[in-house]
């Protein structure tokens, strides 16, 4: 005894030391969630049958109906109820006629639909039901929704993906949606959920159809899915009894062996069934398996084993719901016995419904002969047939109604499903490694490369990555050449993209493994795998990877979510549902920091109506058809999530180049609040200027002028008496309105390097002339609100003289780099190709050229394209970032650009009582009928509009950001501004407000 105690003590000490070592190694990865495992020895003790939940309770009318139908049935009609035949909506007339014949002559009880389409299936269901004396059961394998079998239907994540989600309410919601779709196409059974515990990574048929390797996690998810499905009146079928999760063969082609003891099967494989029976599971599908511990006869399939179907399932486990065979055409069954014989054997074993019978007439004949021989009794037939009729009543088939085929497609594919999909992937995506907290990527001022591995689409991932910062796609057919290209990048994101089809191989090729290991060894690498978890098991080691993310599937939404997680728009929540290797085991899932960067979702997830928002399309079309603007970008975000982003029309009125979300627009006066103002706010916070500062003090050249006493507050409120503008360019033109060679050169040379447009350069000393003209200009005769470009032209002078840097450099360094506004710039042709820039005008009065990539505003052009009041080019996504930063009171990406109190000071209307709506630099809600907004936003809202047909607006009360960009000035800015007259921007803003569901 003493020696035993000593041995136990030594083992205990070793385990402590080992655990300490593991903890030390794992310290590299902060926020690690300790893997947890269910105890395989844990035994579930079922409750009494009388205490089981019942979704479909018996009733007296039900019993009467069943008895009435049964007593009227002939012997052949009773036997017909036992068969559920395979039907396809993508096959020819011969197939359809064969089903008609089985219904008419053999009185079959149901159909299981396979491949086809929803409309065709609905029409066939109506046809077949009309021919059946007793309404048919309709079933379908819809483990991840109808799309498992039908085209043009919605696809939910695989069970393995769902197994990573810990919020079971979301799983229940999936079930609810699946059930509604099944009901819509007239199906009564969804042959789901798969409750096999996938403990064999090489399982060729279950794999991602399972919720994972842990019996409790599998059961929790299966119960949640079942509640969602059966709660909507659709029957669930747990499969594949007694457990197909640890097999190495596919029962479609051979009979798999399960060599576990009955004790192990009781504790593991049967665990989900015991719990689900207590939770109200309606039916079970019995698998074709060879399990010697349950059926001693050699190579005897469980589906036709009395020991399994009757003794174990019904007697020991007390299950009295419907029992289906797995499809009897599968080789694991059909190789054992021929059609007819296999059906008889399955019925003798205790099954109620014979699924996918290959020869119904022969099977009926075989069962009839067995009945005549006394092998089958009337009670045995009545037990199954009456059970079937009971469930037909529960399905409402006592009052059968044909399927309404109108609007079927739209009913099956509602946008709300995308909202659920976003939530599922947000909860599922799993971080497996996060060395030195590389995730989320905080520093956007670094060179980031993306390398694609795998052979499937990656467009959503790449486009979303680029919405956060500049990410360069790098590729090469030669590994050495690729490595040379990657040397200039600090971080390399590797995306592994494999087909999102369930039956496709997801394994890395040998070449891909070599490339991946080499890239990881020589670079700082984040691997994001859009594939099933087991794919990673072929990677020899992960020592050289800084970050590893499991995104599970290669859908568009999973790719978006993956990119969001990498840049911190969401936190990591998923937990690995299966073990990949000794390092990445079941239950592993690191948490990551959530940075308050914009993410992406659907309108419903942030309390908005997609139906109402669809009116934006109508208004945009009206604007384009009415030639109010050739092209438009619209973005709407709420609660930090972009929920609507679309582009409309073309860059010009010629239908050649469609507007893309990434295209750049001249934002005109929106420049004031996305460039000049945030820099001014920082200097204000640094004490370089106060609200009471005088212009003469902050800009000495104004001392002695009539502007020296204008306060900073009045200046920014457009309340300082400044003129609206001066057409500076007119004084530099000849009599024929052509540029004077006194002021311009067609080539850059000494003294003429201020580029106004292509092949036109202004004298460098003319900048002083612009400031002098402003200095010498008269003030308004009376104190009143007057919007003036002079305010921001002067503020640019203040910023540049105070900091010693030009405004374009200031904005880039202080804001754009760290905000990820890589598509926002002055003079975009120095960085971007002209093809992605929308033109603003065909200028016939000053520059006499197509204005594309050069600022439209004449004064800004004369300042070399860099001005305080105009000059910025951007797209809706980038503008939304800085508006979100304002909405978050100076914080974005967990960087504090200025204090919340500073924002509040600038977002205050100081002269509203005097009829001036403006804040400090910000435009505000109109005080009367006329103004920049729909009049339906809050008083705390703020933003700005621009002459080229732009608008950026944010509302703290509704947490909405609205961006509208257009080139309404093209081709002629001097014609009537119909965009403004028709209130296009304002009407879209009204639609956005009307779309709010949770006011």
């Amino acid at each position: 005894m003493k020696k035993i105690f000593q041995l136990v003590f030594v083992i205990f000490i070793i385990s402590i030391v080992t655990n300490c070592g593991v903890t030390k190694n794992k310290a590299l990865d902060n926020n690690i969630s300790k893997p947890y495992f269910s105890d395989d020895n844990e035994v579930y003790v079922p409750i009494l049958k009388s205490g089981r939940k019942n979704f479909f309770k018996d009733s007296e009318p039900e019993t009467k109906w069943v008895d009435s139908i049964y007593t009227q049935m002939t012997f052949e009609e009773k036997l017909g109820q036992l068969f559920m035949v395979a039907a396809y909506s993508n096959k020819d007339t011969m197939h359809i006629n064969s089903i008609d014949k089985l219904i008419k002559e053999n009185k079959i009880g149901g159909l299981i639909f396979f491949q086809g389409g929803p409309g065709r299936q609905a029409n066939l269901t109506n046809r077949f039901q009309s021919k059946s004396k007793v309404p048919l059961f309709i079933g379908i394998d819809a483990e991840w929704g109808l799309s498992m079998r039908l085209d043009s239907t919605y696809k939910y994540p695989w069970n393995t993906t769902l197994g990573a989600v810990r919020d079971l309410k979301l799983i229940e919601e999936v079930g609810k949606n699946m059930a509604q779709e099944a009901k819509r196409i007239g199906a009564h059974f969804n042959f789901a959920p798969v409750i096999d515990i996938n403990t064999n990574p090489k399982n060729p048929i279950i794999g991602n159809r399972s919720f994972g390797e842990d019996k409790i996690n599998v059961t929790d998810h299966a119960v949640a899915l079942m509640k969602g499905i059966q709660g909507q009146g659709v029957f669930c079928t747990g499969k594949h009894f007694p457990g197909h999760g640890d097999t190495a063969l596919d029962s479609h082609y051979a009979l798999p062996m399960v060599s576990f003891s009955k004790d192990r099967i009781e504790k593991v494989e049967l665990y989900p069934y015991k719990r689900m029976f207590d939770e109200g599971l309606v039916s079970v599908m019995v698998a074709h398996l060879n399990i010697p511990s349950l059926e001693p006869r050699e190579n005897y399939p469980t589906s036709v084993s009395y020991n399994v179907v009757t003794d174990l399932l019904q007697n020991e486990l007390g299950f009295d719901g419907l029992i289906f065979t797995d499809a009897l055409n599968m080789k694991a069954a059909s190789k054992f016995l021929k059609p007819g014989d296999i059906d008889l054997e399955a019925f003798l074993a205790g099954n109620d419904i014979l699924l996918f019978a290959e020869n119904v007439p022969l099977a009926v004949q075989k069962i009839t002969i067995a009945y005549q021989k006394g092998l089958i009794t009337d009670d045995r037939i009545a037990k199954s047939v009456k059970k079937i009729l009971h469930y037909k009543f529960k399905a409402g088939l006592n009052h059968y109604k044909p399927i309404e085929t109108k609007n079927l497609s739209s009913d099956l594919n509602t946008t709300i499903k995308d909202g659920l999909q976003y939530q599922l992937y947000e909860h599922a995506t799993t971080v497996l490694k996060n060395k030195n907290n590389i995730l989320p990527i905080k520093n956007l001022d670094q060179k980031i490369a993306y390398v694609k591995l795998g052979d499937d689409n990656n467009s959503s991932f790449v486009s979303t990555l680029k919405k956060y910062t500049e990410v360069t796609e790098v590729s090469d057919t030669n590994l050495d050449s690729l490595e040379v290209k990657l040397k200039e990048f600090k971080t390399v994101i590797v995306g592994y993209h494999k087909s999102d089809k369930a039956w496709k191989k997801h394994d890395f090729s040998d070449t891909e493994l070599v490339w991946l290991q080499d890239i990881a060894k020589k670079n700082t690498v984040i691997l994001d795998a859009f594939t099933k978890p087991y794919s990673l098991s072929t990677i020899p080691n992960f020592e050289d990877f800084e970050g590893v993310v499991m995104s599970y599937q290669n859908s568009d939404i999973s790719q978006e979510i993956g990119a969001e997680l990498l840049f911190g728009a969401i936190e990591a929540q998923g937990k690995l549902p299966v073990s990949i290797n000794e390092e990445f085991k079941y239950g592993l899932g690191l948490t990551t920091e959530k940075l308050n960067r914009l993410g992406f979702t659907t309108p419903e997830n942030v309390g908005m109506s997609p139906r109402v928002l669809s009116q934006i399309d109508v208004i945009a079309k009206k604007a384009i058809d009415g030639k109010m603007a050739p092209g438009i970008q619209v973005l709407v975000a709420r609660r930090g999530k972009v929920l609507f982003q679309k582009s409309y029309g073309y860059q010009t009125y010629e239908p050649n180049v469609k507007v893309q979300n990434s295209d750049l627009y001249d934002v005109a006066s929106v420049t004031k609040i996305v460039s000049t103002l945030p820099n001014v706010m920082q200097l204000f916070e640094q004490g370089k200027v106060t609200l009471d500062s005088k212009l003469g003090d902050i800009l000495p050249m104004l001392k002695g002028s009539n502007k020296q006493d204008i306060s900073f507050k009045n200046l920014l409120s457009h309340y300082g008496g400044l003129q609206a503008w001066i057409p500076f360019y007119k004084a530099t033109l000849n009599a024929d309105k052509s540029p004077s060679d006194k002021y311009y050169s067609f080539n850059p040379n000494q003294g003429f390097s201020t580029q106004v447009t292509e092949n036109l350069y202004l004298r460098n000393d003319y900048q002083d002339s612009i400031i002098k003209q402003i200095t010498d200009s008269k003030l308004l005769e009376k104190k009143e609100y007057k919007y003036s470009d002079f305010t921001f032209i002067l503020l640019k002078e203040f910023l540049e003289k105070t900091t010693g840097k030009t405004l374009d450099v200031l904005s880039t360094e202080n804001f754009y780099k760290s905000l990820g506004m890589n598509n926002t710039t002055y003079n975009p042709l120095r960085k971007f190709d002209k093809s992605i820039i929308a033109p603003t005008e065909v200028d016939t009065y000053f520059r006499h050229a197509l204005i594309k990539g050069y600022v439209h505003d004449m004064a800004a052009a004369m300042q070399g394209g860099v001005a305080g009041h105009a000059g910025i080019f951007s797209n809706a996504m980038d503008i939304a970032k800085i508006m979100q930063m304002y909405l978050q009171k100076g914080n974005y990406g967990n960087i504090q650009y200025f204090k919340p109190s500073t924002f509040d000071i600038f977002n205050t209307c100081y002269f509203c009582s005097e009829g001036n709506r403006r804040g400090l630099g910000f435009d505000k809600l109109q005080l009367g009928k006329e103004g920049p907004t729909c009049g339906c936003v809050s008083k705390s809202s703020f933003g700005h509009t621009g002459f080229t047909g732009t608008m950026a607006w944010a509302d703290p009360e509704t947490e909405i950001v609205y961006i509208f960009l257009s080139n309404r000035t093209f081709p002629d800015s001097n014609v009537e501004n119909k965009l403004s007259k028709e209130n296009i921007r304002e009407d879209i803003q009204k639609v956005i407000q009307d779309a709010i569901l949770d006011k």
Side-chain angles (χ1 to χ4, degrees), residues 205 612 794:
I205 188 59
V612 176
L794 293 173

Side-chain angles (χ1 to χ4, degrees), residues 37-92:
F37 299 88
S38 301
D39 183 358
D40 281 350
N41 292 315
E42 180 182 331
V43 176
Y44 177 75
V45 180
I47 62 176
L48 294 173
K49 284 180 68 173
S50 59
R52 287 177 175 173
K53 293 179 183 176
N54 190 342
F55 286 85
F56 308 95
K57 293 182 179 178
D58 295 340
S59 65
E60 188 177 341
E62 176 183 320
T63 303
K64 287 183 178 179
W65 183 82
V66 169
D67 290 341
S68 171
I69 297 295
Y70 189 78
T71 55
Q72 295 175 47
M73 282 181 163
T74 65
F75 181 76
E76 290 74 18
E77 287 174 337
K78 291 173 183 175
L79 294 190
Q81 289 297 304
L82 304 176
F83 295 93
M84 206 164 195
V85 175
Y88 298 78
S89 59
N90 66 349
K91 288 194 174 183
D92 58 15

Side-chain angles (χ1 to χ4, degrees), residues 221-287:
H221 285 74
V223 168
L225 193 75
M226 177 192 70
K227 285 180 178 178
I229 294 173
Q230 294 192 171
Q232 296 296 305
V234 173
F235 304 138
C236 269
T237 305
K239 61 186 186 183
H240 305 85
F241 185 86
H244 207 321
D246 202 332
T247 59
L249 294 175
D250 180 353
S251 51
H252 289 85
Y253 305 107
L255 183 64
M257 164 77 81
V258 176
S259 57
F260 297 127
S261 68
K262 185 175 181 181
D263 181 60
R264 142 73 195 233
I265 291 170
E266 285 274 1
K267 291 174 181 175
V268 180
E269 277 73 17
L270 295 183
Y271 180 92
Y273 290 97
K274 294 174 183 178
R275 273 187 56 191
M276 291 193 75
F277 294 164
D278 285 350
E279 293 289 343
L281 180 65
V282 161
S283 63
V284 165
M285 183 181 291
V286 184

